[in-house]
Amino acid sequence: MKLITKTILYFLAVSIPLVALCLFLGFHLVNKELEDATEEALWKEKLNAEKLIEGGAVDFILYLSTDSLSKVVETTTVTTGDVYKDSVIYDRFEEEDLPYRILESNMSANGKSYLIFIARTTLEHDDLMESLLKAFGLLLGFLLLTFFALNWILSKTLWKPFYKTLNELKKYDLHANTVVALESTSTKEFKQLNQSLNEMMEKIQSDFQQQKEFTENAAHEMQTPLAVIKANIGLLMQSPNLKQEEMEQLQSIDNTARKMSSLNKALILLAKIENNQFKENVKLSAKEIVSKVLQHYEDALSGKEISVENNITTDINFKLNPALADVLITNLVQNAIRHNFKGGKIRIETKVNSLIISNTGEPLNIKAEDLFVRFKKNYASKESLGLGLSIVKSIVDSFDHTIGYTYENNMHKFSVNFG
Amino acid sequence: MKILLIEDEPELRKSVKQYLYQEGFLVESANDYQSASEKVNEYEYDCILIDITLPKGSGLDIVKQLKQKNSKAGVIIISAKNSIDDKITGLDLGADDYLPKPFELAELNARIKALIRRRNFGGNTSIVVNEIIISTDERTVKVNNELVQLTTKEYDLLLFFISNKNRVVSKNSIAEHLLGDNSDQMDNHDFIYVHLRNLRKKLAEKGCEDYVQTIYGIGYNFKVS
């Protein structure tokens, strides 16, 4: 929920009950005042009427007002006391029922009993009340409007640096190796926020850089000791008196050294891709690279009796570093060979902007989303370093392309979208 | 044939020296930039192996230095930094070849020999081993003066064997030689056997003796007395 929406909601949550309470109280207070005033007026008229009665001015009935509503009537009931009540009386002039406040009072004077009946319309009260409420409502509406406007303006101006920072942060990419420049503002809190964020990003960036450099340097440093191991194996192999068993041990050391060296190479490559060291971006033809790679894997393909369906009829062009394009397609083809059955099938095709490489093979025994994670590999594959597809993913990511995996009709299907 | 090995890692220096010595090369070595620089100034070599990262300097500067004095020596860069940039810079500066660490000694040996052959323009570029004659310029092979039709891989395999004759060469080094940088991407080396079988067959058809001995478990030895 947006900050401004939240502020307004909180405001409404507090102001609606408050306004209701104020309206309620205001209504009752004003109403009470008006009623008191009416009753006082009725009472004064009553006093007037009493004086008239005591003065002997009343003979059976006396109309006190022109509309004949207020009057003094002789009665037989002998009670004393005042009764106030509300009533509705039809008005002949206005031709409608009008609300009235009525005072009925009994009194005795000169040995007779009288009923004093005084009526006063409260129509003006209702009108007044209505006007008051209207004014009140208008004021509240105006207040609300002002509040919304103020909030909106505040969020546009006061919060502007905040939204600016937010936008910059959204663009932030650790791999891009660029520090986001957060502008300084005059608001203390935002200034502190930007400062803290800047420091944090610098720290993350430098840690990340160091970590990447460490991977690359460590891998580089290992190549020379590996060269020593391999050279010594090469020398030892020449020894004329080696038994078969010793030869096999040598072979095993050699294979291990070789595997470690491949691992190093893969790690260096990954570090370099992530360091954006492959900048050159050239328009390349998928068809050309695929046929080059397939030729390269001729031996492996025939060794495993894998048939290749090269269905690239319409070539697709994409932009990539040429060396990485080779690695990308090589790794995908290698993956398709490695995780294939003997006598299996590989199908290569293009679709709009995608290059699709599918192969037969055992279903995955790892989660599909782990396929591109470093060192996650099918348990059966002892030859695999578990880095081939991570390298593919890295390449694709760093050049803003995408790769997807599906398992359809017993075939593993990798499709690279160069769109 | 005189070779200068510029490498700061003593163990590697030792084994490379020993292997090349057994091949009949005269090998001198330098362990840092300064001594390397002095040596290339004072003496002439047929081939110079240069490590890029050296104490007190860069191997690439040695390459520059050789270029400046118009040295006739072939230059092979041996680097732990298998980066395309280094490779391109090295070759641009005048190096003839680039071999990333870790390398097979058999591969280094084959590269040195190929380089020396290329450098001797005036000389004979044919390699003669008994009844086999390889013309490296034309990439042709003759046995008993008859042309043998070999595929690229069979030819490369034979040349690699002959460059390392009377040596045990491992299947790993053959794979690396035939496939280049991507050899580690091949799951097994059965394909070597297929190429070797075809090579043997083609050579035998022209009456060539079978020189290739299988060293079980590890590789082969092209034995010529």
Side-chain angles (χ1 to χ4, degrees):
Chain A
M1 200 184 281
K2 274 178 135 181
L3 186 67
I4 185 164
T5 323
K6 259 193 169 168
T7 319
I8 287 169
L9 280 181
Y10 273 119
F11 176 80
L12 288 180
V14 175
S15 59
I16 286 174
L18 207 66
V19 167
L21 187 72
C22 283
L23 274 176
F24 179 78
L25 285 177
F27 178 82
H28 278 272
L29 278 173
V30 172
N31 205 22
K32 182 95 191 11
E33 272 318 302
L34 285 172
E35 272 177 7
D36 285 356
T38 311
E39 278 169 19
E40 203 181 313
L42 289 171
W43 185 70
K44 273 185 182 157
E45 276 188 55
K46 187 199 82 171
L47 289 185
N48 203 28
E50 280 173 356
K51 270 186 196 148
L52 285 174
I53 292 165
E54 278 162 2
V58 179
D59 187 18
F60 187 63
I61 189 159
L62 172 72
Y63 293 105
L64 300 167
S65 60
T66 48
D67 59 9
S68 317
L69 284 174
S70 299
K71 57 201 170 187
V72 179
V73 188
E74 251 188 73
T75 174
T76 47
T77 325
V78 189
T79 47
T80 46
D82 298 345
V83 176
Y84 290 96
K85 56 183 174 191
D86 289 316
S87 178
V88 175
I89 298 167
Y90 184 77
D91 188 297
R92 281 168 297 157
F93 306 109
E94 301 270 341
E95 295 183 329
E96 59 180 333
D97 288 331
L98 292 178
Y100 278 86
R101 186 76 177 160
I102 291 162
L103 171 63
E104 283 178 16
S105 180
N106 289 289
M107 78 166 284
S108 304
N110 314 325
K112 285 179 184 169
S113 292
Y114 295 95
L115 170 68
I116 307 171
F117 187 92
I118 299 167
R120 220 168 213 262
T121 177
T122 53
L123 183 66
E124 290 89 355
H125 298 182
D126 290 355
D127 287 349
L128 189 63
M129 206 64 169
E130 210 180 298
S131 305
L132 266 173
L133 284 178
K134 261 186 197 159
F136 212 61
L138 263 171
L139 185 72
L140 275 170
F142 182 69
L143 262 173
L144 270 174
L145 261 174
T146 320
F147 174 80
F148 288 148
L150 190 68
N151 240 307
W152 192 76
I153 291 164
L154 282 185
S155 83
K156 287 283 160 209
T157 52
L158 270 185
W159 286 89
K160 196 177 170 190
F162 176 79
Y163 289 113
K164 221 168 176 177
T165 301
L166 197 66
N167 269 331
E168 288 298 321
L169 285 181
K170 274 190 205 156
K171 283 187 268 170
Y172 180 62
D173 176 15
L174 188 57
H175 292 278
N177 206 7
T178 46
V179 177
V180 175
L182 298 176
E183 276 173 43
S184 66
T185 82
S186 53
T187 316
K188 195 181 168 193
E189 284 83 353
F190 294 146
K191 207 188 247 172
Q192 282 178 346
L193 176 74
N194 284 359
Q195 234 164 32
S196 317
L197 283 172
N198 272 333
E199 279 165 24
M200 200 174 80
M201 279 190 288
E202 271 165 37
K203 177 90 178 87
I204 293 173
Q205 203 73 52
S206 87
D207 283 359
F208 185 62
Q209 196 58 34
Q210 268 176 21
Q211 196 203 326
K212 278 196 296 188
E213 277 169 14
F214 174 79
T215 315
E216 199 180 339
N217 291 342
H220 272 314
E221 286 305 315
M222 263 185 271
Q223 299 292 55
T224 302
L226 278 169
V228 175
I229 296 174
K230 286 191 91 168
N232 280 301
I233 295 167
L235 276 176
L236 196 53
M237 238 167 16
Q238 310 308 328
S239 165
N241 305 318
L242 287 177
K243 292 187 207 115
Q244 188 179 322
E245 201 185 301
E246 289 161 341
M247 278 290 197
E248 278 165 12
Q249 285 164 351
L250 263 184
Q251 170 88 18
S252 155
I253 300 172
D254 194 34
N255 286 343
T256 314
R258 189 168 154 264
K259 193 162 177 181
M260 196 160 167
S261 151
S262 315
L263 199 59
N264 267 348
K265 271 198 229 164
L267 286 175
I268 292 170
L269 182 61
L270 263 177
K272 278 186 179 165
I273 296 167
E274 279 164 13
N275 272 333
N276 295 318
Q277 286 181 31
F278 295 94
K279 291 219 168 64
E280 196 190 358
N281 215 345
V282 180
K283 204 174 174 194
L284 299 161
S285 144
K287 198 172 182 173
E288 259 172 52
I289 302 174
V290 166
S291 61
K292 188 170 80 185
V293 171
L294 285 178
Q295 201 181 349
H296 184 85
Y297 277 104
E298 231 174 6
D299 286 323
L301 288 166
S302 62
K304 229 172 159 179
E305 292 161 26
I306 293 170
S307 61
V308 178
E309 259 179 58
N310 191 346
N311 291 345
I312 303 185
T313 42
T314 43
D315 194 8
I316 51 168
N317 290 299
F318 57 93
K319 288 191 115 183
L320 204 69
N321 175 286
L324 289 186
D326 281 353
V327 174
L328 173 77
I329 293 175
T330 299
N331 283 10
L332 284 173
V333 168
Q334 188 195 1
N335 187 70
I337 298 173
R338 181 169 282 158
H339 302 288
N340 216 325
F341 302 123
K342 195 174 171 142
K345 197 164 76 179
I346 293 177
R347 187 165 54 224
I348 302 174
E349 60 207 314
T350 51
K351 223 175 250 171
V352 199
N353 271 321
S354 301
L355 174 69
I356 303 162
I357 300 181
S358 331
N359 66 280
T360 50
E362 295 284 347
L364 287 185
N365 54 28
I366 57 168
K367 276 184 259 161
E369 58 264 34
D370 283 346
L371 260 182
F372 300 102
V373 178
R374 291 178 193 191
F375 299 116
K376 289 260 183 191
K377 54 181 184 180
N378 249 12
Y379 64 79
S381 139
K382 61 178 190 302
E383 288 296 332
S384 166
L385 295 172
L387 286 175
L389 288 177
S390 329
I391 291 173
V392 166
K393 182 92 169 88
S394 255
I395 294 173
V396 166
D397 284 351
S398 65
F399 283 83
D400 292 330
H401 302 312
T402 54
I403 184 159
Y405 165 83
T406 46
Y407 186 69
E408 284 168 21
N409 307 326
N410 296 322
M411 284 191 104
H412 300 281
K413 190 167 160 189
F414 289 89
S415 81
V416 187
N417 192 314
F418 298 106
Chain B
M1 288 285 158
K2 240 168 101 182
I3 292 177
L4 176 65
L5 168 63
I6 307 171
E7 165 64 56
D8 59 320
E9 168 60 44
E11 294 293 334
L12 191 60
R13 221 164 45 227
K14 205 172 99 189
S15 24
V16 170
K17 241 173 143 174
Q18 195 183 333
Y19 195 90
L20 295 179
Y21 175 75
Q22 287 169 3
E23 281 293 315
F25 291 112
L26 206 64
V27 187
E28 277 184 29
S29 63
N31 57 7
D32 62 14
Y33 176 78
Q34 229 164 346
S35 59
S37 176
E38 282 164 19
K39 280 201 164 130
V40 296
N41 257 331
E42 282 173 42
Y43 308 104
E44 287 292 332
Y45 298 94
D46 295 290
C47 183
I48 302 177
L49 312 174
I50 305 177
D51 182 12
I52 290 184
T53 37
L54 288 173
K56 300 178 210 164
S58 163
L60 290 174
D61 290 332
I62 305 273
V63 181
K64 272 187 216 159
Q65 203 178 321
L66 284 165
K67 183 87 182 170
Q68 269 167 12
K69 63 172 271 200
N70 279 322
S71 161
K72 286 195 173 59
V75 174
I76 300 177
I77 290 174
I78 306 166
S79 174
K81 279 194 181 172
N82 183 17
S83 77
I84 298 162
D85 287 345
D86 271 358
K87 189 168 177 172
I88 292 169
T89 324
L91 296 180
D92 278 353
L93 287 175
D96 299 279
D97 209 345
Y98 183 97
L99 191 59
K101 281 182 189 173
F103 49 82
E104 300 279 346
L105 287 176
E107 180 65 30
L108 177 65
N109 185 31
R111 299 254 188 132
I112 293 172
K113 285 185 177 167
L115 183 53
I116 289 171
R117 271 200 307 274
R118 271 189 277 146
R119 288 262 146 180
N120 293 334
F121 296 115
N124 194 352
T125 55
S126 299
I127 305 166
V128 183
V129 180
N130 295 345
E131 66 268 44
I132 307 169
I133 300 169
I134 301 180
S135 166
T136 52
D137 281 349
E138 291 143 33
R139 290 178 67 90
T140 53
V141 177
K142 280 181 183 170
V143 171
N144 296 323
N145 276 323
E146 266 187 89
L147 208 61
V148 187
Q149 291 294 338
L150 297 179
T151 64
T152 311
K153 278 188 181 133
E154 286 157 9
Y155 172 84
D156 286 344
L157 183 59
L158 180 64
L159 189 57
F160 189 61
F161 273 139
I162 287 175
S163 299
N164 289 292
K165 60 179 188 288
N166 295 321
R167 290 287 184 143
V168 177
V169 287
S170 69
K171 279 190 244 174
N172 282 346
S173 55
I174 296 171
E176 214 160 281
H177 182 75
L178 294 184
L179 299 176
D181 275 351
N182 296 325
S183 71
D184 47 2
Q185 285 162 357
M186 215 61 95
D187 286 351
N188 65 61
H189 295 156
D190 294 348
F191 74 96
I192 295 172
Y193 178 73
V194 178
H195 292 305
L196 179 62
R197 194 183 53 198
N198 295 338
L199 175 65
R200 271 173 159 161
K201 207 172 112 194
K202 285 180 184 175
L203 292 176
E205 275 169 7
K206 308 286 177 191
C208 182
E209 198 186 318
D210 186 11
Y211 295 107
V212 183
Q213 284 183 5
T214 303
I215 311 294
Y216 185 77
I218 200 143
Y220 305 94
N221 190 346
F222 194 90
K223 258 214 156 107
V224 190
S225 50

